[in-house]
Amino acid sequence: MSKVLLDMDPGIDDALALLLAVSLPELELLGVTTVAGNTVVEKTSVNARRVLEYVGRGEVPVYAGASGPMARLLTTAEHVHGQDGLGEAGIPGPIDPPQAGALQFLSETIKKNPHEVTIVATGPLTNLGLAFLLNHRLPSLVKEIVIMGGAYHLTPYGRGNITPLSEFNIYTDPEAAKIVFESTAPLTCVGLDVTTNPSVKIDSQRYREISRLGGRKAELASKIMKYQIERFGEIEVHDALAVAAAMQPAMFQMVEMNVQVLTNNDASRGATIPFKPKEGGRGRARICIDINSEEFMRLFLEKVSEA
Ligand code: RIB
Ligand code: CA
């Protein structure tokens, strides 16, 4: 069993990542911490609870975290995720609201399970950046951090989605990202280089397949994906790919490089610059540059179609 903590900003694709995570028997979901990003933290926190309760996993705790970036104004993405952050699909609840205390939960969980916790971070890295500032030992105690974030220009798909250089999660809080990328924590980076590869997008045909499946998970997925299918004709499942990278890394091709996060106040804000380590050294981050898309899609559809 892998002990996993999800740090996220649900968000439609975060919700799909959560659906995948609760469907993997080898994944022990210790809890979810939420952050402002796709929408405000009040909504991302409630959304995590709504998803968990909808699929009968209300026992998983959700802890609300940072309401905005460390040193920037919050930029949200309701135009992509809907005003409620879950595609305005009328998902009920939650019965049990989220709790406060994301930073305390992160810190205590990591310290109680030294070198065993994999953090899958699929939103801006504000919670992790603050937690690492509050306790400098934490990075050395995590097993791994799998980050959905960055655009590394290592594949034809590796350009930014907020600026040509920057990906949303890193752009939103570049200072927090800099703290995490420069920490000693082992990093796996799932960037736009693989997540916007057309072979792993949910197109209208795949959407129709999912909509015809039975079961609560497929029903929820179909409801919340409708918002993006209607507006964009496809869904980019960025965050579910990060869960897959954490649990089945062999599905990905990765390169070991170092990464510099730019915190300028110009078009380079939030850029993630990969660079080769010194001769003979090892890159500190594993960056995903390719994906076995058939294998990923088979896993995703199999898990979403479960009762
Ligand atoms: O750039 C894509 C990322 O930003 C995804 O995690 C999406 O949910 C948003 O948080
Ligand atoms: Ca996200």
Side-chain angles (χ1 to χ4, degrees), residues 98-116:
Q99 304 171 60
L103 298 194
Q104 186 176 352
F105 176 73
L106 268 168
S107 177
E108 286 177 2
T109 303
I110 294 167
K111 286 189 286 189
K112 274 185 209 157
N113 303 278
H115 312 297
E116 290 186 68

Side-chain angles (χ1 to χ4, degrees), residues 9 13-14 38 122-123 169 239:
D9 62 335
D13 64 320
D14 300 76
N38 286 322
T122 63
N169 287 334
D239 299 340

Side-chain angles (χ1 to χ4, degrees), residues 244-254 286 290-292 295:
M247 300 307 294
Q248 299 190 23
M251 204 183 280
F252 295 79
Q253 186 184 339
M254 303 182 187
R286 299 190 309 169
D290 204 356
I291 167 86
N292 182 325
E295 214 177 310

Side-chain angles (χ1 to χ4, degrees), residues 10-11 39 42-52 84-86:
T39 185
E42 292 78 8
K43 293 181 181 177
T44 61
S45 306
V46 159
N47 289 342
R49 288 297 310 159
R50 291 161 81 186
V51 169
L52 287 165
D84 71 340
L86 273 190

Side-chain angles (χ1 to χ4, degrees), residues 267-279:
S268 70
R269 166 182 165 175
T272 44
I273 315 295
F275 58 98
K276 290 191 187 324
K278 286 197 181 79
E279 190 66 34

Side-chain angles (χ1 to χ4, degrees), residues 206-225:
R206 280 177 174 149
Y207 174 72
R208 284 194 297 274
E209 274 174 48
I210 291 170
S211 302
R212 284 196 290 268
L213 296 170
R216 295 285 282 177
K217 291 174 186 172
E219 184 182 79
L220 176 63
S222 167
K223 283 180 174 183
I224 64 176
M225 290 196 292

